[in-house]
Amino acid sequence: MSTIYQVAKLAGCAVSTVSRVLNDHPNVSAKTKEKVHYAMNQLNYRPNTIAKSLASQRSDCVGVLVSELHSGFFGTLTGAVETQLRAHKKHIIVTAGHGDASLEKDGIEFLIDRNCDALVLHVEAVSDEYLAELCRGKTPVVILNRELPTCPEHCISLDNEQGGFAATQAVIARGHKNIAYISGPMRKHDARERWDGHCKALQQSGIAYDPSLVVEAKFTQDSGAEAFAVLLQRKVNFSAVVCGNDEIACGVMSAARDAGISLPNELSIVGFDNTNIASYTYPKLASVDYPIFEMGQAAGRKILNEVYDINTAEKDSAFEPTFIDRASLQPLN
Amino acid sequence: MSTIYQVAKLAGCAVSTVSRVLNDHPNVSAKTKEKVHYAMNQLNYRPNTIAKSLASQRSDCVGVLVSELHSGFFGTLTGAVETQLRAHKKHIIVTAGHGDASLEKDGIEFLIDRNCDALVLHVEAVSDEYLAELCRGKTPVVILNRELPTCPEHCISLDNEQGGFAATQAVIARGHKNIAYISGPMRKHDARERWDGHCKALQQSGIAYDPSLVVEAKFTQDSGAEAFAVLLQRKVNFSAVVCGNDEIACGVMSAARDAGISLPNELSIVGFDNTNIASYTYPKLASVDYPIFEMGQAAGRKILNEVYDINTAEKDSAFEPTFIDRASLQPLN
DNA sequence: GATTAAATTGGAACCGCTTCCAATAAAAGA
DNA sequence: TCTTTTATTGGAAGCGGTTCCAATTTAATC
């Protein structure tokens, strides 16, 4: 691997000049530039990113932290950020927090230590205070799916409660009265907020809240199936199940069919997130659209604008959860 | 941010000594070590990864290149590598190749330039020669899902042809004779190999190959649906469809149902990869298991062993595609 | 053609850490 | 106690770039 010194020597100039050519500085004469380019080609020179990063304190890299790398939701998010930035020659460094506070911190520090120019975070275990502190730090941060009261300008999120409300409201609008709810882990704020929205919708329609219709699950298919089994054991009466996310809903579908329930006529099911899953199921899953791709793009654009001074000219609209009606939700006959 | 100099000063020793403490070198007296640790805590010192990387030519990072970040298949792969390495304090840097040769190269160079200690690649556009050249380079490489004749020791792959064979054989074994095939893009070697396997199975059973039963698609749901429509337009007779991957199969399911075909009794469908999708569909999708998670883990272990000298003590078995029978495949009555 | 201003270049310090080699201190052996 | 050996330390030269400042060239003005 050749270095900038060798290029300078071959081109017959100083390293500082080569550096200028490298970084498109003005004030380099055309002929010098050409000599340098020639030398670079000759030597097959590729600048050492690490050295550049150390000297310049920049990296042309954005760090992305998500909970899990498998999982379509985060894949979509990461992909959105990546394509957005890649179009401008910026790269991303992805790492996972695994929903654990210390791993999340570890991941964040790793990204900062790698001189990332900015961070995009989808964290769930770390505290608000920690994040607030982080926002005050040197590295610009964009926080997804979380609303920090002290620094709203760093956050891109959507109203989970409103989404939960929309889902249950849609179910009620189709005549359902006995509505079960399978929530995600209540320690996760989004799960809690969605459930809040559900309760609100019930309340608004004057439907009494019945705790025996609610089960807490993990955000996974298997857990959703188990939760549904619990529901059945309770021998409570319900005509629809609203779920904390699509995976849970998918588990419910399987479990319901295993129990001999015919879908969608005997039971309506609604998910949340509107992931690919919703299109894979049969009947297709009604869900609340969580525009994670658009939000990832928005995060990318925000960074391009604010960190790299690249104007993407696109205005970011506010993100609203919208209910997507599909066959898994049927009116109560 | 404090530097190693400040730590040295506060601890009253040389930077070289601090560096030794940092890297657990032997030959540092207990009391010096303690003084240094004290100073590090006092200053809240965090070593600068970039500087370390520049000086040591290492990074404790493994680069991972996949085609797309969204897509469950690659998510699973990336997740497998990540968890495996994270357990030993190694991080991964993920980037995407988008199935384009120049983006793939760009991504690979990016990873190498970031001083990655090793690379895990799932590339599809780049040439065998380029990869062979890469294998000869300084950075250790693990190549997934591709068999390079010149350097098999770098490759972890499974026999796509055998997988394709197994799928169609299973279909034939259930009495089907008119079997449609919707392939992935033929320019991709895995798509081609799977199709080869299909043909082989037909041949072995003495079923004549009928080109009007074959459609080439992309590896996506929508494309699968379109391909199925093409198949219907041809007015050819078939009782089963074998697909290049699960997404295609999923698209076929939708399209078939839209055409009023009842599943699985009127039409059997088989996928490939055995992704999560297979568990989301109804009927559940028979598929060929592609143990991508295990292969990712194996890649991680290989690197831990060969690059970091960390013995994971687990032997890697050979990877065989296995047919997973599920309800979407029914015997022909 | 001399003078001044502007454009180009070169030099060197610096980014923060590693690592080799020499110097010193401690331990062991005579 | 005095060598000899061994364990600890310090010093300094990199790693490969960036960037500020001063020096040199070139162009512009009179």
Side-chain angles (χ1 to χ4, degrees):
Chain A
M1 207 75 263
S2 51
T3 73
I4 198 173
Y5 288 94
Q6 302 174 29
V7 173
K9 196 166 153 196
L10 182 57
C13 65
V15 289
S16 44
T17 304
V18 178
S19 175
R20 284 188 201 98
V21 173
L22 229 40
N23 295 288
D24 276 326
H25 277 237
N27 298 346
V28 183
S29 73
K31 54 174 172 286
T32 313
K33 204 178 285 185
E34 194 182 343
K35 278 193 303 182
V36 170
H37 277 137
Y38 174 79
M40 293 200 300
N41 283 330
Q42 203 75 104
L43 293 169
N44 201 358
Y45 171 71
R46 239 163 56 203
N48 182 315
T49 330
I50 299 291
K52 180 184 170 106
S53 186
L54 176 61
S56 66
Q57 311 280 28
R58 279 181 281 95
S59 66
D60 286 335
C61 274
V62 172
V64 178
L65 182 81
V66 295
S67 293
E68 300 297 342
L69 293 172
H70 59 268
S71 146
F73 183 81
F74 293 120
T76 303
L77 165 59
T78 313
V81 179
E82 202 261 353
T83 40
Q84 193 71 215
L85 292 170
R86 194 66 174 279
H88 298 275
K89 304 263 183 200
K90 309 300 175 192
H91 280 265
I92 65 170
I93 300 183
V94 188
T95 189
H98 299 292
D100 174 273
S102 79
L103 286 177
E104 284 183 357
K105 282 187 195 177
D106 183 51
I108 291 171
E109 288 186 357
F110 167 77
L111 294 172
I112 292 176
D113 290 349
R114 299 287 306 179
N115 261 0
C116 286
D117 298 331
L119 260 41
V120 176
L121 306 178
H122 190 299
V123 288
E124 36 192 26
V126 122
S127 72
D128 277 12
E129 292 72 45
Y130 175 85
L131 288 176
E133 179 65 35
L134 198 64
C135 289
R136 267 178 255 121
K138 219 180 62 189
T139 311
V141 177
V142 177
I143 296 168
L144 292 172
N145 194 33
R146 208 154 148 167
E147 203 57 67
L148 291 184
T150 54
C151 33
E153 71 282 9
H154 290 270
C155 302
I156 298 181
S157 65
L158 106 175
D159 195 333
N160 277 294
E161 183 176 324
Q162 193 190 322
F165 180 82
T168 297
Q169 198 185 34
V171 173
I172 293 171
R174 281 158 189 77
H176 295 272
K177 295 221 157 19
N178 301 304
I179 303 166
Y181 190 84
I182 301 182
S183 142
M186 286 296 192
R187 60 181 179 76
K188 300 199 179 185
H189 67 103
D190 45 4
R192 226 168 28 242
E193 289 161 11
R194 291 170 189 189
W195 176 71
D196 286 343
H198 166 73
C199 295
K200 211 169 171 182
L202 291 181
Q203 193 184 354
Q204 200 185 59
S205 301
I207 300 178
Y209 175 75
D210 178 358
S212 69
L213 282 172
V214 177
V215 185
E216 180 177 342
K218 289 181 205 150
F219 273 140
T220 67
Q221 191 179 5
D222 289 347
S223 179
E226 287 167 22
F228 186 75
V230 170
L231 221 43
L232 288 183
Q233 276 171 6
R234 289 189 189 159
K235 310 242 183 254
V236 284
N237 181 35
F238 57 89
S239 62
V241 187
V242 178
C243 303
N245 75 350
D246 289 348
E247 297 216 29
I248 293 177
C250 190
V252 169
M253 276 198 177
S254 297
R257 261 197 278 251
D258 288 349
I261 299 171
S262 149
L263 301 178
N265 27 325
E266 289 179 24
L267 180 69
S268 282
I269 299 172
V270 173
F272 202 115
D273 284 345
N274 192 30
T275 54
N276 284 340
I277 296 176
S279 75
Y280 296 143
T281 62
Y282 179 76
K284 300 230 187 296
L285 185 64
S287 189
V288 175
D289 187 50
Y290 190 126
I292 188 64
F293 186 83
E294 285 75 14
M295 287 168 73
Q297 283 196 128
R301 277 201 300 274
K302 189 169 157 65
I303 288 170
L304 284 172
N305 274 314
E306 298 176 8
V307 178
Y308 296 118
D309 276 316
I310 297 174
N311 198 335
T312 55
E314 272 177 80
K315 274 298 284 177
D316 292 323
S317 44
F319 296 106
E320 301 267 323
T322 48
F323 179 75
I324 309 290
D325 194 16
R326 293 204 188 87
S328 73
L329 173 60
Q330 292 292 326
L332 191 64
N333 46 5
Chain B
M1 205 77 263
S2 50
T3 74
I4 199 173
Y5 287 95
Q6 303 174 28
V7 174
K9 195 166 154 196
L10 181 58
C13 66
V15 289
S16 43
T17 303
V18 178
S19 175
R20 284 188 200 98
V21 174
L22 229 40
N23 295 288
D24 276 325
H25 276 236
N27 298 345
V28 184
S29 72
K31 56 174 171 288
T32 313
K33 203 177 287 184
E34 195 182 341
K35 278 193 302 184
V36 170
H37 278 137
Y38 173 80
M40 293 199 302
N41 284 331
Q42 204 75 102
L43 294 169
N44 200 359
Y45 172 73
R46 240 164 56 203
N48 182 315
T49 330
I50 298 290
K52 180 184 170 107
S53 187
L54 177 60
S56 67
Q57 311 281 29
R58 279 180 282 96
S59 66
D60 286 334
C61 273
V62 171
V64 178
L65 181 81
V66 295
S67 292
E68 300 297 342
L69 293 171
H70 60 269
S71 144
F73 183 81
F74 293 120
T76 304
L77 165 59
T78 313
V81 179
E82 201 262 352
T83 41
Q84 193 70 217
L85 291 170
R86 194 66 175 277
H88 298 276
K89 305 262 183 198
K90 309 300 176 193
H91 281 264
I92 65 170
I93 300 182
V94 188
T95 190
H98 299 290
D100 174 273
S102 80
L103 287 176
E104 285 183 355
K105 281 187 195 177
D106 183 52
I108 292 171
E109 288 186 357
F110 167 77
L111 294 172
I112 292 177
D113 290 349
R114 299 287 306 178
N115 261 0
C116 285
D117 299 331
L119 262 40
V120 176
L121 307 178
H122 190 299
V123 288
E124 37 191 25
V126 121
S127 72
D128 276 12
E129 292 73 45
Y130 175 85
L131 288 176
E133 180 64 34
L134 198 64
C135 289
R136 268 178 253 123
K138 221 180 61 190
T139 311
V141 177
V142 178
I143 296 166
L144 292 173
N145 193 34
R146 208 152 149 170
E147 202 59 65
L148 291 183
T150 55
C151 33
E153 69 281 9
H154 291 269
C155 302
I156 298 182
S157 65
L158 104 175
D159 194 333
N160 277 295
E161 183 177 325
Q162 195 189 322
F165 181 82
T168 298
Q169 198 184 35
V171 174
I172 294 172
R174 280 156 189 78
H176 295 273
K177 295 221 159 14
N178 301 305
I179 304 167
Y181 190 86
I182 301 183
S183 141
M186 286 298 191
R187 60 182 179 76
K188 299 197 180 186
H189 67 102
D190 45 4
R192 223 166 33 238
E193 289 161 11
R194 291 170 188 190
W195 176 71
D196 286 344
H198 165 74
C199 295
K200 212 169 170 182
L202 291 180
Q203 191 185 356
Q204 202 185 60
S205 301
I207 300 178
Y209 173 76
D210 178 358
S212 69
L213 282 171
V214 177
V215 184
E216 181 178 341
K218 290 181 204 151
F219 274 141
T220 67
Q221 192 180 3
D222 288 347
S223 178
E226 286 168 22
F228 187 75
V230 170
L231 219 43
L232 288 183
Q233 276 171 6
R234 289 188 190 161
K235 310 246 184 246
V236 285
N237 181 36
F238 56 90
S239 62
V241 187
V242 179
C243 303
N245 76 350
D246 288 349
E247 297 216 28
I248 293 177
C250 191
V252 170
M253 277 197 178
S254 298
R257 258 196 281 251
D258 288 349
I261 299 171
S262 149
L263 301 179
N265 26 325
E266 289 179 23
L267 181 69
S268 282
I269 299 172
V270 173
F272 202 117
D273 285 345
N274 192 31
T275 54
N276 285 338
I277 296 176
S279 75
Y280 297 142
T281 62
Y282 179 75
K284 300 229 187 295
L285 184 64
S287 189
V288 175
D289 187 51
Y290 191 126
I292 189 64
F293 185 83
E294 287 74 14
M295 287 168 73
Q297 284 196 129
R301 278 203 298 275
K302 190 170 157 66
I303 288 169
L304 283 173
N305 274 314
E306 297 176 8
V307 178
Y308 295 118
D309 276 316
I310 296 173
N311 198 336
T312 55
E314 273 177 81
K315 274 298 284 174
D316 293 323
S317 44
F319 296 106
E320 300 268 322
T322 48
F323 179 76
I324 309 290
D325 195 17
R326 293 206 187 86
S328 73
L329 173 60
Q330 294 292 326
L332 191 65
N333 46 8

